[in-house]
Amino acid sequence: MDELCPLCNPQMIEDQKIVLSNDHCLFLQMPQNILIGSGLIVPREHRPTMFDLTQDEWNATYSLLQEVKELLDQEHEPDGYTIGWNTNEAGGQHIFHTHLHIIPRFKDETYAGKGIRSWLKGKENLRPSLSDED
């Protein structure tokens, strides 16, 4: 456990709550104005990235994800989900305790139908080829 990590110590983030848990993972939520019902699945142990999870933690993440889906289906009746990991700085990770984002999605959203890759596939994200560097 990292004493300065807000995911090792969920009480460090105001209004963050442990909603569901199992032996290896927690499902955390905080009040959201935009991403209603969204939350994070985090391992109880401090693991910097998803690549650092143990097999037991992977299995527990999967198991808790099923429980989270059931809960969010009952509470919010979403039309879909966006679920993903951000890993390392270039991948968008800002808290270096791995966390799986669970985001309920709805047909009436501005970005309905847009998934994780929609922003990454934009022309502005095109990497210059090696031949362009000459």
Side-chain angles (χ1 to χ4, degrees):
M1 176 154 71
D2 181 333
E3 291 180 16
L4 300 176
C5 174
L7 299 181
C8 284
N9 304 285
Q11 72 282 359
M12 288 176 69
I13 298 176
E14 189 175 349
D15 295 329
Q16 182 166 252
K17 294 183 178 123
I18 299 170
V19 178
L20 294 170
S21 65
N22 61 29
D23 289 344
H24 296 283
C25 298
L26 308 171
F27 177 60
L28 306 175
Q29 282 185 318
M30 56 195 320
Q32 297 283 331
N33 291 329
I34 297 174
L35 300 176
I36 306 299
S38 67
L40 306 172
I41 294 178
V42 302
R44 290 178 182 268
E45 294 293 320
H46 186 82
R47 305 283 186 230
T49 75
M50 60 181 278
F51 298 108
D52 301 309
L53 294 175
T54 66
Q55 186 66 53
D56 287 340
E57 290 165 337
W58 272 104
N59 294 343
T61 298
Y62 173 82
S63 177
L64 193 55
L65 178 60
Q66 303 309 311
E67 291 181 49
V68 168
K69 181 186 181 305
E70 185 176 321
L71 174 72
L72 297 177
D73 283 350
Q74 289 174 7
E75 288 185 354
H76 302 286
E77 299 180 0
D79 300 306
Y81 285 91
T82 295
I83 299 172
W85 308 90
N86 295 324
T87 303
N88 295 326
E89 284 184 40
Q93 186 176 8
H94 301 287
I95 298 174
F96 290 89
H97 179 134
T98 195
H99 49 283
L100 179 62
H101 292 267
I102 315 300
I103 306 168
R105 301 292 304 275
F106 303 89
K107 290 179 185 175
D108 63 352
E109 295 174 22
T110 300
Y111 294 116
K114 302 282 186 190
I116 294 170
R117 297 181 317 136
S118 63
W119 291 272
L120 300 174
K121 294 188 307 184
K123 289 182 183 179
E124 61 278 358
N125 201 35
L126 182 65
R127 295 186 67 224
S129 68
L130 293 177
S131 63
D132 291 342
E133 295 176 5
D134 295 333

